[in-house]
Amino acid sequence: MTKVKICGLSTKEAVETAVSAGADYIGFVFAPSKRQVTLDQAVELATLIPADVKKVGVFVSPSRAELLEAIDKVGLNLVQVHGQVADDLFDNLPCASIQAVQVDGDGHVPDSQADYLLFDAPVAGSGQTFDWAQLDTTGLTQPFFIAGGLKEDNVVKAIQHFTPYAVDVSSGVETDGQKDHEKIRRFIERVKNGISRTK
C-alpha cells in the first residue's frame, strides 16, 4: 500500500484531520515559506501525532546543527532536505533522511546517501507537476516519494505510473492557500482505497 505524506501543516485542526484520515507522514516546513512553522509550534503540534505516524521536518540547505536541533526538540522521525546538500549531511543522523530532487528536464537522479529520495517539481510547493516521462526510477536503490502538483484527481495515475513508496501533497490539499480538511480526507481516501493494485 502506497504511503501518504501530508506536508506543510501548521494548525492543530489540520494535523488532527490528517492523522484521523490515515496519513502515514506529517510534514512540518521549517524553511522560509508561507507554510513555515517554528520549532516551538512544531513541538506543540507533534503532541497530537501518535507514534505510528511519522513526523517529517522539511528544510532547505540546512546545516547539520539545524537538523540535529530540530530532530531533538520536535522528535522528528525523518528530515527532508531540499537545495544544496553537503556530502556528509546525512552521515549518522539520529533519524532517517529524505533528499528532495527537483525534476527539471534532464531526469538526473543524484547519488545520495539519504535513506529516501523525493521527486518534486522544479519549484517545490508551487502546485505544479513535473513531466513524469522525464524521470526513470528503474535503477533506484532507495525507496522514493513522488511530489509536485499531486491532488485527488491525479494521484492514482501517479501511483500507477511510478509505484512509489509514498506520495507527498501540500498545495493539492489547500483552498485559497489554507489546508482544506475535506481535501486532505479525500486525497488520503483516494490513495488508500482508490487503487486496486500497487506493488
Side-chain angles (χ1 to χ4, degrees):
M1 173 68 74
T2 308
K3 295 188 181 298
V4 180
K5 176 168 167 274
I6 306 290
C7 200
L9 299 185
S10 58
T11 67
K12 174 176 181 284
E13 294 76 18
V15 170
E16 288 175 339
T17 297
V19 167
S20 67
D24 301 288
Y25 296 89
I26 301 291
F28 296 127
V29 176
F30 297 117
S33 156
K34 63 184 180 183
R35 305 177 183 95
Q36 183 177 16
V37 293
T38 65
L39 287 182
D40 287 339
Q41 286 172 302
V43 167
E44 201 171 306
L45 294 170
T47 63
L48 308 168
I49 302 173
D52 59 338
V53 178
K54 307 292 187 208
K55 299 179 289 292
V56 185
V58 180
F59 304 83
V60 174
S61 304
S63 68
R64 190 174 171 89
E66 280 177 76
L67 293 184
L68 291 173
E69 181 186 11
I71 292 165
D72 179 58
K73 196 164 183 181
V74 184
L76 297 176
N77 305 104
L78 299 97
V79 291
Q80 173 180 321
V81 178
H82 295 249
Q84 293 298 311
V85 177
D87 289 344
D88 61 351
L89 185 69
F90 299 124
D91 289 352
N92 300 312
L93 283 177
C95 73
S97 54
I98 305 169
Q99 182 171 349
V101 179
Q102 258 102 10
V103 180
D104 57 6
D106 63 4
H108 173 68
V109 176
D111 183 19
S112 173
Q113 301 304 309
D115 299 294
Y116 301 88
L117 294 174
L118 179 145
F119 296 104
D120 204 347
V123 181
S126 65
Q128 302 297 308
T129 56
F130 62 86
D131 181 353
W132 294 348
Q134 289 178 340
L135 178 63
D136 179 8
T137 59
T138 49
L140 285 182
T141 54
Q142 294 112 314
F144 63 93
F145 292 65
I146 292 292
L150 296 183
K151 45 192 157 225
E152 62 178 296
D153 60 5
N154 68 3
V155 68
V156 171
K157 282 189 183 140
I159 291 170
Q160 289 167 338
H161 184 88
F162 290 109
T163 56
Y165 168 76
V167 290
D168 182 2
V169 66
S170 184
S171 59
V173 291
E174 290 177 351
T175 299
D176 298 327
Q178 301 297 317
K179 286 295 183 281
D180 182 318
H181 300 180
E182 199 46 51
K183 285 184 178 176
I184 290 172
R185 289 188 194 96
R186 289 202 306 264
F187 184 91
I188 295 171
E189 169 74 16
R190 189 64 58 93
V191 175
K192 302 291 185 182
N193 298 312
I195 297 155
S196 58
R197 183 176 61 79
T198 58
K199 282 185 187 169

